[in-house]
Amino acid sequence: MITRLLFFFCFLLCTLSGWSQIVLPATPDPLFSTYYHQRVSHFGSLPASAKDIVFLGNSITDGAEWVELFTDNRLKNRGISGDVSAGILHRLPQIAAGKPAKIFLLIGTNDLARNIPADSLLKNIYRIAAYLRQETPLTKLFVQSILPVNTAFNKFARHTNKGDQIRKVNAQLQQNALANHYTFIDLFAAFANEKGELAATFTNDGLHLTGKGYTLWKHLVYPYVFGVESRPALIPVPQKTQWLPGYFSLLAGKTIVVKGKTLKPEAEQLRQLLGAKGISVKIIEEAKGNEPFIELRLGKINAPQYPEEAYQLEVTAKKVVLTANTAHGIFNGIQTLSQLIRDNVLVDACLITDWPAFSWRGYMVDVGRNFQSVALLKQQIDKMAQYKLNIFHFHLTEDIAWRLQIPKYPQLTAPEHMLRNKGAYYSVSEMKDLIQYCRDRYITLVPEIDVPGHSAAFVRAMGVEMQSPEGLALVKEILTDVCQTYDVPYIHLGGDEVKITNPDFLPAVTSLLHRLGKKTIGWEPGGNLADNTIRQLWMTEGPRQPNLKYIDSRHLYINHMDPLESVITIYNRQLGDAIQGTEQVLGATFCVWHDRNVLKEEDVLHMNPVYPAMLAFAERSWQGGGYSGWITNIKSSASQQLQVFKDFEKRLLEHQKLYFASLPFSYAAQSELKWELLGPFKNGGDVAQVFAPEKKGFKPENSPFTAVGGTVVLRHFWHPLVTGVLENPEENTTWYAYTRFWSDVSTTKKFWIGFNNLSRSYNSNSPVEGTWDNRGSAVFLNNQLLTPPQWQRAGQKGNGEAPLLDEGYEYRAPITAPVHKGWNKILVKLPVKSFKGSDWQNPVKWMFTVVPLSEE
């Protein structure tokens, strides 16, 4: 058998050596075992898809339960015990026919054991790579190093005496990875002991793996399977992180050590978190012998600010120790630990010391206009907690509806006094439940009872204006009831967007709340608030007063933002114009004001970039720093700023993939998209006028005007307060944007394309049939004009009660278009006439979004 196999190797190499087109020879079936043919036959009877992740190899691959190991049905075991590289080549057409997304190849141990020359083995592996690239070029191939072997078990002598050859083959596989178009994964180093042999802890025969070995294998290939970074992506990134060699085994660590009752709630939360990941642990008060353990403990953590939220996390092979000054700090550390255990088996050793830059890190939901169920609110609160946000600003009352039950005045929540979601409100018990739900996650719920503005629902229900004497008396009575019913430290009064006709109204209300032991917050600019009322900034207007405290929400309304823009602008913000919290600047709150009606409650999360923005805000409000000014794009010339954003985007995309797979998360990679901006061309008000970039034979040269990102804002509708990429935008001009992207194959590709991401607060008109927008914008792919979508409500006049349906690229089906192998060109035409909209509901936001979407 061995002689015949050696002959076949020589025959195979001679057959293939002269071919540029890889054609695999017919191989005599008797060269392979009965088991080999059984497995190949079985594989051929199973379904295959382009989503498959195939593990291909010999008995070491064959022995794993890959689907259970990764809890992912996409993983396919295509290992055959005893297989060699010639066997892989023989059955490779069957594998390639399924066009799998990824292939993880581990082969060679049996080849060397049968004295197949190392050069022959390497050539076969390179042939495997070449054939796959030829037949299924979109498949990503990962060639894993041959594992070390161990002679001490006195088994498989022909295999275990090949240690030197294994190392030489691995070195060549690593060296020639780029030339052969595969990714090399070094498993050898992690499995080897100090002698370079397979560590005894991973095997019981010197060749094959035990469960512990497969656990390590999973940990090593996890980043490649899911397309994430080699180290867990942490958001918000800690203030200090030191990665160390080694790892802690969650399967070996069966206990959480916590002394006394103080941290029992946090220990129970951690136990449940681990349980959800399939890891069963017990809570005990003392560590047992030499068993690995996780410990939660209070201690002294030095932090330059906000020590009550600081923590230190130490991970070694023997233990995970989480120390903090308070239980809140322990909770914060648990959120980081959760992200460290992304593969649910091993935690990379590290030392993290962390604390927040701002004490106030808030998220605001407006349920007055569009009601959200308690279940949907809790989903968002869970995500807030996961990313260490600590303020849930709950906007409960509006012109549309009053959503908080006041038992004495049921007319406030009566259906006939609501304009939307009639009869939907939060009962006293539901409100108490939400407050406690937040408190259990170290989040403070801040209810907003908006007075005296935004109060039409109150007027309909009570029959009086708020600022009248009768109205003021009712408001005082209602607020007293709220204060006595709910255990919350703050009451938000609103106070903005109203003509103050009773100058005593707000002073009387704030004085009452302060006497009842509540702290107050109001919008700024707004009404005549007390000096000890915290101001929440929503617009730049007037100098700040040194005796006041502030929360920043300026240009943090994501209902006005394009999803891709939101992440860039929030991530780069300098919150409160400060790099960290001060006595005056407490922090910031980002807000969702979805004024327009929605068809279903989830649309608020689909049409506003809630979760991408939340992660960008979480990092900036925890980490501090940022850049002054309000920007919408990163200039390609700002290399340091761009590189920092690219690092964040990698982490953001990992979290999107791992933690938001079933939730709305409107984001796509954009930091590598660089646009050449060509212009300006004077169009004299004729937006259809054609200029040189559209004409045949035009070759764009390097332009001094460049932009980075999937969304590019040339001029914001709040210019110059919010800046676009053009420093001096002019009316009656046309610009063009040019870029190109690579495709490995000719195929059909999906794109996000849009030219006017409608604010969800303005009653803007929908695009007219046959147009992208009302500016005459266009996009060309490889010189072919792309057709706009067939709008469901083409030309719909702005109407707050007419829900948006497909006006935003992030909540409609992507555009599909053919692309060819090699470089593909995108040209975007961007004409504009006046910067003045037809009315205030239709502002001119001169922008475009074009993003080739990744298939992974």
Side-chain angles (χ1 to χ4, degrees), residues 518-696:
K518 304 298 182 183
K519 299 175 185 177
T520 55
I521 307 169
W523 293 104
E524 175 74 25
N528 51 329
L529 297 167
D531 285 351
N532 55 351
T533 295
I534 300 168
R535 269 46 173 194
Q536 186 166 354
L537 301 172
W538 65 277
M539 181 187 290
T540 296
E541 190 170 295
R544 294 191 207 166
Q545 303 301 315
N547 60 320
L548 301 180
K549 295 183 184 297
Y550 294 93
I551 301 162
D552 195 5
S553 289
R554 299 166 303 162
H555 196 44
L556 290 173
Y557 289 9
I558 63 171
N559 45 288
H560 287 307
M561 295 181 183
D562 172 281
L564 301 175
E565 169 201 355
S566 73
V567 171
I568 288 180
T569 192
I570 291 175
Y571 179 77
N572 286 284
R573 278 291 304 278
Q574 194 174 88
L575 301 175
D577 304 316
I579 60 172
Q580 62 184 30
T582 66
E583 284 293 319
Q584 188 179 23
V585 179
L586 305 180
T589 296
F590 82 100
C591 308
V592 183
W593 298 102
H594 195 113
D595 289 66
R596 285 184 79 145
N597 198 3
V598 295
L599 288 177
K600 55 186 184 299
E601 63 175 357
E602 295 84 4
D603 284 351
V604 173
L605 302 186
H606 283 282
M607 296 180 175
N608 299 281
V610 171
Y611 290 135
M614 181 180 288
L615 270 60
F617 179 82
E619 171 125 340
R620 183 53 61 221
S621 60
W622 183 274
Q623 184 68 207
Y627 303 89
S628 60
W630 303 352
I631 60 172
T632 56
N633 296 101
I634 301 175
K635 294 182 179 179
S636 57
S637 58
S639 57
Q640 182 180 3
Q641 185 179 357
L642 179 57
Q643 189 54 50
V644 171
F645 179 76
K646 284 182 177 181
D647 172 74
F648 172 72
E649 183 180 72
K650 288 179 182 178
R651 291 182 282 119
L652 178 72
L653 292 169
E654 176 169 328
H655 280 243
Q656 178 183 16
K657 191 174 297 183
L658 297 183
Y659 309 123
F660 292 89
S662 61
L663 297 176
F665 197 101
S666 48
Y667 193 78
Q670 60 170 329
S671 62
E672 297 295 339
L673 268 175
K674 181 180 178 181
W675 298 90
E676 303 284 338
L677 300 180
L678 313 170
F681 298 92
K682 304 289 187 180
N683 63 36
D686 178 9
V687 296
Q689 190 171 351
V690 174
F691 297 98
E694 288 183 69
K695 296 178 180 178
K696 187 176 181 180

Side-chain angles (χ1 to χ4, degrees), residues 560-566 568 632-634 668-670 672-679 703 705-717 723-726 733-741 751-758 772-781 786 791 807-810 812 815 825-832 843-852:
H560 287 307
M561 295 181 183
D562 172 281
L564 301 175
E565 169 201 355
S566 73
I568 288 180
T632 56
N633 296 101
I634 301 175
Q670 60 170 329
E672 297 295 339
L673 268 175
K674 181 180 178 181
W675 298 90
E676 303 284 338
L677 300 180
L678 313 170
S703 167
F705 303 100
T706 60
V708 172
T711 290
V712 177
V713 178
L714 279 67
R715 183 188 183 276
H716 200 279
F717 50 60
T723 60
V725 295
L726 299 182
T733 58
T734 297
W735 282 79
Y736 293 86
Y738 170 82
T739 194
R740 62 180 191 159
F741 65 93
F751 296 83
W752 272 352
I753 300 177
F755 290 89
N756 184 19
N757 191 262
L758 298 183
W772 286 100
D773 60 12
N774 62 1
R775 296 192 307 273
S777 300
V779 58
F780 302 85
L781 175 62
L786 295 184
W791 308 108
E807 289 82 355
Y809 63 81
E810 69 276 24
R812 66 170 178 261
I815 299 295
K825 301 179 294 183
I826 299 175
L827 182 70
V828 185
K829 182 178 184 179
L830 300 159
V832 71
V844 177
K845 190 175 182 182
W846 194 13
M847 61 173 289
F848 72 90
T849 297
V850 179
V851 184

Side-chain angles (χ1 to χ4, degrees), residues 244 248 313-317 319-321 337 340 347-351:
L244 304 169
F248 176 84
L313 182 59
E314 180 186 10
V315 180
T316 69
K319 60 185 178 180
V320 175
V321 179
L337 178 59
L340 287 172
V347 185
D348 289 311
C350 60
L351 179 62

Side-chain angles (χ1 to χ4, degrees), residues 366-559:
D366 167 22
V367 293
R369 292 178 175 87
N370 289 290
F371 181 81
Q372 293 185 32
S373 66
V374 170
L376 187 61
L377 293 172
K378 286 184 175 180
Q379 177 201 114
Q380 295 164 78
I381 291 166
D382 283 341
K383 288 302 178 184
M384 289 177 63
Q386 188 176 335
Y387 294 98
K388 304 185 181 74
L389 300 187
N390 62 356
I391 299 292
F392 181 55
H393 180 164
F394 202 22
H395 185 84
L396 287 158
T397 67
E398 257 302 333
D399 291 334
I400 296 288
W402 181 290
R403 301 291 185 192
L404 181 62
Q405 181 187 28
I406 306 296
K408 186 176 180 180
Y409 296 110
Q411 62 267 45
L412 283 169
T413 49
E416 60 268 25
H417 297 137
M418 296 182 177
L419 303 184
R420 294 182 197 154
N421 313 124
K422 296 186 176 185
Y425 63 90
Y426 304 96
S427 67
V428 172
S429 61
E430 287 175 323
M431 187 66 175
K432 286 184 176 181
D433 175 58
L434 279 172
I435 291 168
Q436 187 61 48
Y437 196 82
C438 286
R439 185 178 292 119
D440 290 343
R441 290 153 182 77
Y442 292 92
I443 294 171
T444 300
L445 188 149
V446 177
E448 180 177 355
I449 311 295
D450 207 341
V451 299
H454 298 267
S455 57
F458 173 93
V459 174
R460 289 193 299 272
M462 308 306 288
V464 296
E465 295 288 339
M466 270 194 181
Q467 295 190 71
S468 68
E470 298 83 2
L472 176 56
L474 286 168
V475 168
K476 285 183 175 182
E477 190 175 359
I478 290 168
L479 290 176
T480 299
D481 178 79
V482 169
C483 292
Q484 292 173 347
T485 304
Y486 303 112
D487 181 16
V488 291
Y490 299 93
I491 300 292
H492 200 301
L493 292 168
D496 66 319
E497 295 185 321
V498 62
K499 181 179 181 181
I500 299 295
T501 58
N502 180 357
D504 295 328
F505 182 90
L506 282 171
V509 168
T510 53
S511 177
L512 168 68
L513 291 171
H514 294 157
R515 288 199 307 273
L516 292 170
K518 304 298 182 183
K519 299 175 185 177
T520 55
I521 307 169
W523 293 104
E524 175 74 25
N528 51 329
L529 297 167
D531 285 351
N532 55 351
T533 295
I534 300 168
R535 269 46 173 194
Q536 186 166 354
L537 301 172
W538 65 277
M539 181 187 290
T540 296
E541 190 170 295
R544 294 191 207 166
Q545 303 301 315
N547 60 320
L548 301 180
K549 295 183 184 297
Y550 294 93
I551 301 162
D552 195 5
S553 289
R554 299 166 303 162
H555 196 44
L556 290 173
Y557 289 9
I558 63 171
N559 45 288

